[in-house]
Amino acid sequence: RSTLQECLEGFEVADEIEGIHCDHCKGSKTISKGIELVEFPKVLTIQVGRIDYSPIDFRREKIATNLALPLEVELPLANGETPSSDAEEGAAASPKADPHPYQLHSIIAHRGTAYHGHYYCYVRCGSATDEGTPQWVKFDDSTVTADADADEVLQYRDPAAWEAKLAAEASSAASQGDD
């Protein structure tokens, strides 16, 4: 998965587990195991697992797949449900009846390997700049950078756009060197 939306859509997909013994019927059953959001929280915290563990060779590996983080995301409704238009008038709406939009507030980043490294974070604050881009503050141990480099944040928020920008800059520098 390469976008946060794809991760969220896969979050509530249940796993089928075969061969579970049923004490009641004394037979073998297939069960469904999964997670379903009952209510949408006011503040949503998402942690994306970026370390994989292999029980075969007892090693950890850092997952290097890029993941795009949009400035706004809307949670998917459970099991593809849509708000019901024929609901009883005056009836209380289900917490899942309407989509719930969230804004990206912060990014915690890790530099290093699966065995050691350093964490730092970017926090979105204040209003957008004149160009319409949000302002970010970088927290790195005792160093706080009030106006974090937008390219640094873009590296985590939209890796494809960041890589395209680097390629364009490299191409531009190469063409200027040919002069």
Side-chain angles (χ1 to χ4, degrees):
R1 297 185 171 121
S2 62
T3 68
L4 183 60
Q5 194 66 37
E6 289 172 353
C7 291
L8 291 172
E9 287 167 0
F11 182 70
E12 290 185 327
V13 174
D15 292 324
E16 298 291 319
I17 303 172
E18 297 178 9
I20 301 297
H21 177 73
C22 176
D23 290 336
H24 180 69
C25 71
K26 306 296 184 210
S28 182
K29 299 280 185 180
T30 298
I31 64 167
S32 183
K33 174 186 162 202
I35 297 172
E36 182 177 296
L37 292 173
V38 177
E39 291 184 38
F40 290 112
K42 284 186 176 185
V43 175
L44 178 67
T45 301
I46 299 173
Q47 178 179 338
V48 181
R50 305 299 284 175
I51 306 291
D52 197 18
Y53 176 74
S54 170
I56 296 168
D57 60 3
F58 307 107
R59 294 182 56 116
R60 292 178 288 181
E61 184 175 321
K62 186 171 181 180
I63 299 170
T65 305
N66 287 333
L67 180 67
L69 303 172
L71 289 175
E72 289 193 8
V73 67
E74 205 167 88
L75 275 183
L77 299 175
N79 304 321
E81 293 175 7
T82 56
S84 175
S85 57
D86 57 326
E88 290 182 36
E89 209 169 302
S94 160
K96 295 187 128 184
D98 297 313
H100 286 68
Y102 291 94
Q103 292 185 348
L104 180 65
H105 175 69
S106 58
I107 300 169
I108 298 175
H110 179 264
R111 183 175 43 244
T113 71
Y115 292 94
H116 57 82
H118 180 70
Y119 287 95
Y120 48 99
C121 78
Y122 299 94
V123 177
R124 183 178 174 183
C125 65
S127 58
T129 63
D130 292 338
E131 295 85 37
T133 57
Q135 294 178 330
W136 293 88
V137 176
K138 181 179 181 181
F139 294 86
D140 188 354
D141 290 338
S142 62
T143 304
V144 176
T145 307
D147 191 17
D149 183 3
D151 283 345
E152 254 187 89
V153 177
L154 186 63
Q155 173 183 359
Y156 295 101
R157 219 184 52 66
D158 191 351
W162 180 69
E163 289 171 3
K165 182 176 182 186
L166 289 181
E169 289 172 356
S171 175
S172 175
S175 66
Q176 289 177 357
D178 292 339
D179 294 338

